[in-house]
Structures are given as structure tokens and as C-alpha cells.
Amino acid sequence: MLGPSPAAVTAIVRAEGTASRIPAARFHAAFSRSPAIRHVVQLHFKAMLIQFQLGGACNALHPVQARMARWLLQLHDSINHDVLPLTQDALSQMLGVRRTTVTLLMRNLRASGAIRSERRGEIEIDSSRLAAVACECRDTMRLELEKIFSMGAAASRVFDLPIQ
């Protein structure tokens, strides 16, 4: 969307799913020709910006345990499963804290019942108990994303009209 340039960051996939890949030149050509593709990409871009802004504020304002609970719940929302494919090392990277901090936080969450079990690479959560520990940022992000995508869905009906 922003033009051809090498990626400045590395993207890491945390859960399995389906993905597609096309050459950048082909994507840019489709983006230039199709209002529908531009619309969807712009919606995604808006959603990412909101998540970055709210995530930055959350990191500055909330304790690490509340942020960790938010991350776990957001992953739960994405994959809709109580067993999350996540290691403590990955959590420490996502939160920007030491692995030993995550170990301590996991122990606290397990004691409260928010985490039922933890096997290598899998964390089983109790989402209702975990929600009690999480900061309000998860709900704020969800509401903001729903606004973006509901406005986007209304606007996308314009693109559903047959071309004369």
C-alpha cells in the first residue's frame, strides 16, 4: 500500500491458518486497478494503526500481568480456542520483558485459575478468569476494530454494484 520498499520488520506467525502470497508488483497493480482491493487494504491499515496506538498506550499505562492477560485473550479471540499455541519465550518477546518475569506471571495466573495448564508451546486458559486480570484495552481495541470494519462494510456495498 505504501509503495515498494524492503520490510523494516520481521513478521512472526503465532497461530496456524491460511495465507496467500503474491509478488509485490502484482499486488501493486491490482491495488491500483481495484477500488475494492484498495478499500479492504485501507481498512486493514486503519485497524493496524488503531492496534499500534492502543497497544503503545497500554504498554505505557498498565502493569505487565494485565498486558499479558490482554495478549492471551486477543490470541484466544483470533483462534477461538482455549489452548493457545504460545511459549513463554514468545510471550516474553511480545511483552518486552525477561523470560523469568513471564514465568512468575504464569505462576500467579495458574494460582488464580486463569491458566489451567501449560505444556511446552501450549497455554490452556480460562478466558473468563483471565478477563478479570486483563486491562480494559482488549475491549477498547475490539470496539474500535468493530467500528472500523462495520463502517467499512457499509462503504463496501458501493463496490458491490454491477459495472455498466
Side-chain angles (χ1 to χ4, degrees):
M1 181 175 148
L2 300 175
S5 65
V9 296
T10 300
I12 299 174
V13 176
R14 297 283 180 208
E16 67 181 35
T18 303
S20 298
R21 182 177 163 166
I22 64 171
R26 194 168 168 204
F27 172 78
H28 286 289
F31 181 83
S32 297
R33 284 193 312 269
S34 171
I37 291 174
R38 276 194 307 278
H39 176 72
V40 169
V41 170
Q42 288 167 345
L43 283 178
H44 178 74
F45 193 70
K46 286 179 186 177
M48 295 298 294
L49 281 175
I50 285 290
Q51 290 177 73
F52 291 147
Q53 290 170 339
L54 293 174
C58 180
N59 289 342
L61 297 173
H62 297 127
V64 68
Q65 183 156 316
R67 295 190 338 246
M68 186 166 88
R70 174 184 60 87
W71 270 109
L72 292 171
L73 288 167
Q74 285 180 299
L75 180 56
H76 174 266
D77 294 343
S78 296
I79 65 172
N80 198 27
H81 200 277
D82 288 341
V83 179
L84 308 179
L86 201 59
T87 63
Q88 286 191 10
D89 189 51
L91 265 174
S92 72
Q93 291 173 17
M94 290 164 48
L95 294 166
V97 298
R98 296 172 63 157
R99 169 84 166 60
T100 53
T101 302
V102 171
T103 300
L104 176 64
L105 295 172
M106 295 294 278
R107 188 178 311 136
N108 294 344
L109 290 173
R110 201 170 17 264
S112 73
I115 293 176
R116 293 188 200 115
S117 68
E118 179 190 355
R119 294 174 295 283
R120 177 114 178 108
E122 293 183 340
I123 301 170
E124 184 179 0
I125 65 164
D126 180 318
S127 57
S128 60
R129 288 185 179 181
L130 199 56
V133 178
C135 59
E136 68 275 8
C137 295
R138 172 194 179 215
D139 293 331
T140 302
M141 281 187 200
R142 191 181 340 192
L143 289 172
E144 289 298 322
L145 293 176
E146 284 174 9
K147 276 194 260 182
I148 289 170
F149 289 114
S150 66
M151 287 188 298
S156 71
R157 290 189 198 101
V158 172
F159 301 117
D160 292 339
L161 299 174
I163 299 173
Q164 301 293 329

